[in-house]
Amino acid sequence: MSTPDRRPGELTARELLRWTWRQVTSMRTALLLLLLLALAAIPGSVIPQQGVDSLAVTRWKAEHTKLTPVYERLDLFSVYSSVWFSAIYLLLVLSLVGCIVPRLFVYFRGMRAQPPAAPRNLARMPVHATYETDLSPDDVLALARTTLGRRHRLRSSGDDTVDHVAAERGYLREAGNLLFHLSVLVVLAGFAMGGLWGYQGGVIIVEGTTFSNNLTQYDDFKPGGLFRAEQMKNFRFSVDEFNVDWLMEGPRKGQARKFEADLTYRVGDGEEQQYDLRVNHPLELDGTDVFLIGHGYAPVITVRDATGEIVYTGPTPFLPQDASFLSFGVVKVPTAQPQQIALEGLFYPTFIMSDGNPTTLVGDDLNPTLSMLAWTGDLGLDSGTSQSVYVLDKSGATPIEDEDGKQQRVDLQLGDTVELGDGLGTVTFERVDPWIRVQISQTPGKGIALLGVVAALIGLCASLFIRPRRVWVRATALPAPGAGGPDDDSDDQATDGTMNGGGARTRVEVAVLDRSGNGDMDEVLADLLARLGSDPADTTSGK
């Protein structure tokens, strides 16, 4: 009974919580959250993400100074780890769990349930037939149990007065539904394990150099919420050689066709081994996967300062800007005397002049050329603030001028040396080394997620392709011809348990029901009637 002070439609706290739970765990809410999650992922695909490409984020911020504070406040540079995206994801998981768990019990009960008893009037079923036979009702039912028991599940009953056989086929469809819904939970658990205890990082490795698996070696690193540095496996590998096959003719001229990095790796104190790292063929190192995801060029540049001392030398990775591998890079020399030196510009793998403009013909380094602007002064490296190696802070720097009073552009081809203005030193282009970019990830729950996906596919196929149907066979004894009432003392009544004596017959009703609603049961009914030994001439079918 409602309390006198309670208004119509007013809910108690318990009722409100129950109503809220029903709304959150409804299938409509789950679909809405799934759509919302897809929409929320769009900014992560359009806007550069800090955990994926920190350099692209830095460039975007430099080009969009007014939008940057708004985007930072909304966490649009780290969408997938933002509070609002995580809230949508957690609500979706909660909704799915609330939808799935109750259905697990429903499907489990349905999988174990017996076939239902026969309806009172089988003639009302969509597909049915009736015939008469000389066999007794017990023999007809025994034959039906034998025939249907091979591929159907029979209804068990301890009542000897039951006049029908109930059978069901395709009950494993419920097992498929149960497996599918259970697998969704397994997949969610696998992804959760990977997101909490796993990590993903990226690093550029120049040919001939070695990578050791520790945090200081990564260019970018994205750990899970419960990740600990102690989880990182002890391994290292070297890039011995990197090969690219370039197409030099045909409609795809200038495009790369094959990428292969020859690695030498060692896990812990084990022996060194070789591996050819290719796209979609990762190297597995003690539960950690190494993927080849990109490549480029690292010109080897040597800088001498005003005193003639070598203050910078080695490969400098330049980042590709387009499919032609026109690349951008920065050289910073903080130890140069009397002032710091910096170079910023482009690398052309196959340099040509087209209509008076410099460009690169193909991505292969057939005519490597450097074109960079020279700077000197305070590069901001002593301020204590971290800088990207691909971004040059020009706030405290001044251009190095050439003889014409313009900013000096250092144009170099292999082996060339150019003197910097004001006697600040020289720059030499020694050679070109290739580099590869690898993604290193540890995903603890990937095996569980894969198992869940495979099981979900099996369950989905079972629920889609297994066609459940129910079959009923009822046998009723008919009065013998000429049988009278209670005063009839004829001796021709049936006394044999095998055949109906005195010409008595049995009326047999057979009905088939397709539960999937899209199957033709006429052939099933005809086959069953033939197995039961019915005479087509005496059979009346209906639909």
Side-chain angles (χ1 to χ4, degrees):
M1 296 180 61
S2 59
T3 60
D5 297 335
R6 187 170 175 180
R7 296 187 299 270
E10 185 179 359
L11 301 177
T12 64
R14 182 177 181 181
E15 291 171 341
L16 180 60
L17 289 175
R18 182 180 299 174
W19 179 85
T20 303
W21 173 252
R22 288 176 179 174
Q23 297 304 310
V24 171
T25 58
S26 67
M27 186 59 68
R28 180 177 58 184
T29 302
L31 293 175
L32 181 62
L33 288 171
L34 187 61
L35 175 62
L36 189 60
L37 189 71
L39 294 176
I42 293 177
S45 303
V46 176
I47 302 172
Q49 297 298 291
Q50 189 69 40
V52 178
D53 193 342
S54 56
L55 176 61
V57 173
T58 303
R59 290 180 180 173
W60 197 97
K61 290 180 178 181
E63 296 172 359
H64 306 84
T65 54
K66 293 183 178 180
L67 286 176
T68 295
V70 179
Y71 279 30
E72 288 179 340
R73 180 167 295 182
L74 296 176
D75 286 333
L76 294 183
F77 296 114
S78 54
V79 168
Y80 304 111
S81 58
S82 64
V83 175
W84 54 270
F85 188 88
S86 300
I88 298 173
Y89 183 81
L90 291 176
L91 278 175
L92 176 60
V93 172
L94 180 63
S95 180
L96 287 175
V97 171
C99 288
I100 291 171
V101 171
R103 285 172 171 78
L104 291 179
F105 296 101
V106 173
Y107 291 132
F108 181 74
R109 288 193 297 267
M111 184 181 65
R112 293 174 56 89
Q114 292 193 67
R120 180 174 300 178
N121 190 351
L122 291 179
R124 294 183 178 179
M125 300 301 294
V127 181
H128 65 274
T130 303
Y131 70 94
E132 294 183 6
T133 180
D134 292 333
L135 295 175
S136 68
D138 291 341
D139 290 340
V140 172
L141 297 179
L143 179 59
R145 291 190 186 94
T146 303
T147 302
L148 297 174
R150 298 170 184 171
R151 303 179 66 181
H152 294 71
R153 180 171 58 177
L154 301 180
R155 178 181 177 86
S156 61
S157 176
D159 189 355
D160 295 335
T161 64
V162 174
D163 63 347
H164 67 271
V165 173
E168 183 178 28
R169 181 181 176 185
Y171 52 88
L172 288 179
R173 184 180 189 179
E174 301 300 334
N177 288 327
L178 178 66
L179 179 62
F180 174 78
H181 286 80
L182 185 61
S183 299
V184 173
L185 296 181
V186 174
V187 172
L188 291 176
F191 281 131
M193 289 179 61
L196 291 174
W197 286 282
Y199 71 86
Q200 178 178 302
V203 60
I204 289 177
I205 307 173
V206 180
E207 182 183 82
T209 60
T210 301
F211 170 83
S212 297
N213 190 38
N214 59 73
L215 291 175
T216 60
Q217 296 280 297
Y218 284 88
D219 296 332
D220 53 78
F221 191 83
K222 185 178 180 181
L226 300 178
F227 170 80
R228 297 293 180 268
E230 295 77 14
Q231 297 175 216
M232 302 185 71
K233 305 299 182 179
N234 180 21
F235 64 82
R236 56 190 178 276
F237 59 86
S238 303
V239 181
D240 300 328
E241 186 177 4
F242 178 67
N243 299 305
V244 183
D245 289 342
W246 298 92
L247 296 174
M248 302 308 296
E249 56 184 16
R252 298 177 59 193
K253 180 179 178 180
Q255 297 185 17
R257 178 179 59 181
K258 182 181 178 181
F259 315 93
E260 187 174 278
D262 298 332
L263 304 184
T264 299
Y265 68 92
R266 174 183 292 177
V267 179
D269 296 329
E271 297 182 357
E272 288 189 347
Q273 302 182 57
Q274 306 292 322
Y275 187 80
D276 294 334
L277 185 64
R278 294 171 290 164
V279 177
N280 297 327
H281 290 78
L283 170 63
E284 196 275 331
L285 298 173
D286 196 13
T288 304
D289 295 320
V290 180
F291 296 87
L292 176 62
I293 61 173
H295 68 103
Y297 294 103
V300 178
I301 300 171
T302 299
V303 179
R304 289 179 169 84
D305 62 7
T307 64
E309 296 293 330
I310 296 178
V311 289
Y312 181 93
T313 186
T316 304
F318 277 56
L319 300 180
Q321 304 299 295
D322 53 35
S324 69
F325 279 80
L326 175 66
S327 304
F328 173 84
V330 174
V331 176
K332 302 177 185 180
V333 190
T335 58
Q337 297 296 331
Q339 298 185 67
Q340 297 178 353
I341 298 173
L343 304 168
E344 179 188 58
L346 299 173
F347 171 75
Y348 301 84
T350 303
F351 175 80
I352 61 169
M353 293 294 296
S354 177
D355 298 330
N357 296 317
T359 186
T360 180
L361 184 61
V362 293
D364 197 3
D365 56 339
L366 302 177
N367 185 29
T369 302
L370 284 169
S371 180
M372 299 179 291
L373 295 175
W375 300 79
T376 187
D378 184 9
L379 305 180
L381 298 175
D382 300 328
S383 63
T385 304
S386 60
Q387 286 189 15
S388 170
V389 295
Y390 303 105
V391 177
L392 179 60
D393 182 5
K394 307 184 185 72
S395 59
T398 57
I400 298 177
E401 297 181 351
D402 57 14
E403 296 176 354
D404 298 329
K406 300 179 180 180
Q407 184 173 9
Q408 184 176 9
R409 179 176 295 277
V410 178
D411 295 324
L412 297 167
Q413 292 193 312
L414 281 180
D416 290 351
T417 298
V418 171
E419 293 187 1
L420 298 174
D422 299 329
L424 293 176
T426 62
V427 181
T428 303
F429 184 11
E430 307 283 358
R431 66 179 189 273
V432 179
D433 290 340
W435 57 259
I436 65 172
R437 179 172 176 82
V438 297
Q439 176 182 293
I440 302 173
S441 61
Q442 187 180 99
T443 313
K446 66 178 181 180
I448 296 176
L450 178 60
L451 179 63
V453 170
V454 173
L457 290 175
I458 295 174
L460 183 62
C461 290
S463 62
L464 291 177
F465 297 110
I466 294 179
R467 294 168 54 182
R469 61 173 178 257
R470 289 170 179 168
V471 180
W472 296 278
V473 178
R474 173 178 283 135
T476 307
L478 297 176
D487 297 332
D488 190 353
D489 55 357
S490 174
D491 296 331
D492 293 333
Q493 297 298 322
T495 57
D496 188 0
T498 304
M499 297 290 291
N500 289 335
R505 295 172 66 81
T506 298
R507 184 171 183 267
V508 182
E509 297 175 273
V510 182
V512 180
L513 177 64
D514 181 18
R515 295 181 61 199
S516 60
N518 58 358
D520 186 4
M521 294 290 100
D522 289 335
E523 295 183 3
V524 176
L525 179 62
D527 179 67
L528 179 58
L529 291 173
R531 291 175 179 271
L532 293 176
S534 68
D535 186 353
D538 296 334
T539 302
T540 302
S541 300
K543 189 174 182 181

